[in-house]
């Protein structure tokens, strides 16, 4: 080997060893449109990465690369560097992530909810290990808004959900939860929901206010019912092989971008639920929007213990440990 080649090889090894970052393009897919909550988060993340490095982020909103299950597969395979998949779809892969579907576990007070997501040991210390076992570096989890039901007919009690085929995300615990609410749960990927409501295959579904408005789900349902049972949680991850292979500088860049986007998306959600419900009413004045009273909520709340037991039955010691830690974390912010 000539002296010149040796010198070049030596320089290349030196560059790699020092972890000096090259300008790369990283692909990031999410389950919503660019202007919806996951899209707003992703745009802020991209802005932070690009402002603080020579890297570029390519964003792939819902539909461009398939359904939630498809983008998760692509992230695990390393075709995507980043993915946003909500626990509603991660249940098969990480059963413990279904804890977010125990009804009435998360606080309805937004201040407490945000503080829980900022400080929770279950989220920041326990879930990363479970995601890592699936080849994923968990970067963040954040709430997207209070989940409300939309149906064809008013719902004031579990009896009103009798015989209602109700779409849920593909998550066994959510199925159990809606059974306990009195409905006939039907798990479907998001892309099939509007058409299934339109053709009458299903008669109801649930989602946060902004999503009910942006996806025009009010065109194919007539009543919104809010019972305070949950807040939609999502998770952003990196492919673990990709993340572990980065230098410290790039890992810090990603953590900083993730933290900045997390605070940004919480701020973005101030007042969003009420604004979204008001917009729905404006678009379709005949839409009935019912916020159930404490008394009406009670029979729904009474199902929580039974769903919690089912969760522990499905996930064993590991699920119980997550649930207990979450309860301790929630206690700390209440
Ligand atoms: O219900 C769903 O499937 C979708 N809901 C939201 C708020 N985000 C993405 C998810 O696919």
């Amino acid at each position: 080997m000539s002296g010149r080649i040796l010198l070049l090889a030596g320089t290349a090894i030196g560059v790699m060893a020092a972890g000096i970052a090259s300008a790369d393009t990283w692909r990031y897919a999410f389950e919503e449109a660019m202007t919806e909550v996951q899209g707003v988060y992703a745009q802020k993340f991209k802005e932070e990465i690009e402002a603080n490095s020579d890297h570029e982020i390519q964003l792939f909103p819902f539909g461009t690369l398939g359904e939630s299950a498809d983008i998760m597969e692509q992230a695990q395979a390393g075709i995507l560097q980043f993915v946003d998949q909500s626990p509603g779809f991660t249940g098969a892969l990480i059963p413990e992530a279904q804890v977010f579907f125990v009804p009435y576990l998360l606080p309805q007070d937004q201040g407490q909810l945000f503080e829980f997501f900022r400080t929770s040991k279950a989220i920041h210390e326990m879930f990363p290990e479970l995601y890592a076992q699936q080849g994923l570096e968990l970067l963040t989890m954040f709430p997207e808004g209070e989940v409300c039901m939309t149906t064809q007919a008013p719902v004031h009690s579990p009896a009103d959900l009798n015989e209602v085929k109700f779409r849920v995300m593909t998550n066994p615990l959510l199925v159990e939860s809606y059974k306990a609410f009195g409905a006939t749960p039907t798990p479907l990927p998001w892309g099939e929901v509007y058409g299934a409501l339109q053709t009458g295959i299903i008669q109801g579904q649930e989602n946060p206010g902004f999503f009910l408005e942006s996806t025009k789900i009010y065109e194919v349902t007539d009543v919104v019912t809010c019972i305070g049972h949950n807040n939609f949680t999502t998770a952003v991850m990196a492919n673990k092989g990709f993340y572990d292979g980065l230098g410290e500088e790039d890992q810090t860049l990603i953590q900083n971008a993730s933290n900045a986007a997390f605070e940004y998306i919480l701020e973005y959600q101030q007042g969003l639920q009420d604004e979204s419900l008001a917009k729905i009413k404006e678009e379709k004045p005949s839409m009935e929007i019912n916020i159930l009273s404490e008394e009406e909520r009670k029979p729904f709340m009474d199902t929580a213990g039974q769903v919690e037991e089912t969760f522990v039955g499905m996930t064993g010691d590991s699920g119980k440990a997550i649930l207990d830690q979450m309860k301790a974390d929630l206690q700390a912010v209440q």
Side-chain angles (χ1 to χ4, degrees):
M1 206 183 280
S2 77
R4 192 173 138 74
I5 292 174
L6 262 179
L7 184 70
L8 283 175
T11 309
I13 290 165
V15 166
M16 284 191 304
I20 293 175
S22 56
D24 292 322
T25 299
W26 293 336
R27 290 178 292 275
Y28 177 153
F30 46 98
E31 304 171 310
E32 295 174 7
M34 210 62 118
T35 51
E36 292 167 344
V37 172
Q38 289 183 17
V40 173
Y41 177 97
Q43 289 190 69
K44 180 66 179 167
F45 180 82
K46 171 183 164 75
E47 186 190 308
E48 290 289 320
I49 294 284
E50 293 180 355
N52 294 297
S53 73
D54 291 332
H55 301 312
E56 192 197 330
I57 301 272
Q58 259 176 10
L59 296 179
F60 296 92
F62 176 75
T64 54
L65 296 176
E67 288 281 357
S68 293
D70 302 311
I71 58 175
M72 176 55 100
E73 271 181 27
Q74 292 158 27
Q76 285 183 298
I79 299 165
L80 294 171
Q81 282 70 45
F82 299 100
V83 68
D84 185 328
Q85 190 192 55
S86 41
F89 293 105
T90 318
L93 204 62
I94 304 171
E96 294 86 346
Q98 298 179 103
V99 73
F100 291 100
F101 298 93
V102 173
Y104 298 98
L105 185 61
L106 294 180
Q108 292 169 48
D109 176 272
Q110 205 176 48
Q112 288 177 11
L113 182 77
F114 288 180
E115 205 44 27
F116 163 75
F117 276 91
R118 275 193 196 100
T119 57
S120 163
K121 281 190 184 156
I123 290 179
H124 297 279
E125 293 171 24
M126 295 173 84
F127 271 119
E129 285 175 23
L130 298 171
Y131 278 77
Q133 287 164 18
Q134 301 302 328
L136 299 161
E137 178 75 26
L138 179 63
L139 297 176
T140 190
M141 285 185 170
F142 60 86
E144 294 196 37
E146 186 193 332
V147 172
C148 297
M149 306 182 226
T150 62
T151 48
Q152 314 292 352
V155 176
H156 288 281
S157 73
D160 294 329
L161 286 172
N162 187 26
E163 309 253 306
V164 173
K165 289 202 200 73
F166 198 99
R167 178 269 175 172
V168 291
M169 289 182 281
T170 54
N171 172 324
L173 196 73
L174 198 49
V175 167
E176 292 309 316
S177 169
Y178 267 90
K179 267 190 203 160
F181 281 178
T184 305
T186 311
L188 283 177
W190 172 249
E192 291 174 33
V193 178
Y194 189 100
L197 284 166
Q198 200 169 30
T199 53
I201 293 171
I202 54 169
Q203 295 88 38
Q205 64 87 45
E206 61 159 28
N207 255 307
F210 81 88
F211 204 68
L212 302 178
E213 194 263 320
S214 61
T215 61
K216 297 189 186 293
I217 215 74
Y218 54 82
E219 291 175 347
V220 284
T221 44
D222 296 322
V223 185
V224 175
T225 308
C226 301
I227 59 171
H229 67 300
N230 208 359
N231 202 291
F232 192 97
T233 296
T234 200
V236 180
M237 299 136 255
N239 171 285
K240 190 150 174 59
F242 152 76
Y243 185 85
D244 288 347
L246 293 173
E248 211 183 306
E249 195 183 327
D250 276 341
Q251 289 186 348
T252 306
L253 171 78
I254 289 169
Q255 293 299 335
N256 289 345
S258 182
N259 292 341
F262 172 85
E263 286 302 330
Y264 183 82
I265 208 62
L266 297 191
E267 183 59 34
Y268 174 81
Q269 283 175 64
Q270 302 282 355
L272 186 61
Q273 182 79 359
D274 289 348
E275 278 165 35
S276 304
L277 295 182
K279 276 193 203 158
I280 291 175
K281 196 73 188 160
E282 220 172 275
E283 285 298 319
K284 182 174 167 181
S286 66
M287 193 81 185
E288 195 175 317
I289 300 181
N290 295 325
I291 314 290
L292 296 201
S293 65
E294 283 302 312
E295 200 186 329
E296 286 176 313
R297 289 176 188 207
K298 186 151 187 319
F300 293 102
M301 294 176 87
D302 287 345
T303 66
Q306 157 192 351
V307 180
E308 194 177 298
E309 272 173 35
T310 309
F311 170 74
V312 175
M314 279 175 179
T315 55
D317 290 347
S318 143
K320 173 92 172 64
I322 288 266
L323 179 66
D324 289 347
Q325 186 58 54
M326 265 182 78
K327 285 184 176 173
D329 298 342
L330 286 163
Q331 190 70 39
V333 297
Q334 269 159 14

